[in-house]
Amino acid sequence: MANNEQINSLINQLSQRLNADSSQVKDALQKGNLDKVLKNMDQKQAQKISAILSDPEESRKVLSSPQAQALIKKLMG
C-alpha cells in the first residue's frame, strides 16, 4: 500500500509532466475535472490521455495499476 509520501510523489511527477502546479493537479483529480490540467499539456500528450479516457478498456487498464489504485484510494479519503 502506498503511503502519503508516495502519493505526493506521484502527484508531483504528474504535475511536472503536465507543466502544472501540483496543488492544481491534486484538486483536479479530486474533483474529476482534468480539462484545466490537460490544457497545459503538449497537444500530443493531451490527445493520448483523452484517447485513453474515452476507451473503457484502456481506462480500466490504467486505473487498475497499483499506482493508480493507491492514488485513487488516497484522493477518495
Side-chain angles (χ1 to χ4, degrees):
M1 182 181 297
N3 61 28
N4 288 341
E5 196 172 300
Q6 290 171 319
I7 299 298
N8 289 332
S9 176
L10 286 172
I11 291 173
N12 288 334
Q13 289 174 19
L14 180 58
S15 66
Q16 287 174 358
R17 286 189 169 225
L18 299 177
N19 194 26
D21 182 75
S22 60
S23 62
Q24 290 175 332
V25 172
K26 185 175 181 179
D27 186 56
L29 291 171
Q30 287 174 328
K31 293 180 179 177
N33 183 5
L34 294 178
D35 291 338
K36 290 180 183 178
V37 175
L38 292 177
K39 74 177 183 180
N40 293 329
M41 294 181 71
D42 174 90
Q43 187 177 4
K44 284 185 179 181
Q45 290 176 327
Q47 288 175 341
K48 186 174 181 179
I49 289 176
S50 293
I52 289 170
L53 294 176
S54 66
D55 181 342
E57 182 61 26
E58 283 299 314
S59 295
R60 186 193 62 72
K61 287 179 186 177
V62 171
L63 292 173
S64 65
S65 73
Q67 298 88 347
Q69 287 296 307
L71 183 58
I72 291 167
K73 191 178 265 188
K74 171 67 177 171
L75 294 174
M76 299 301 278

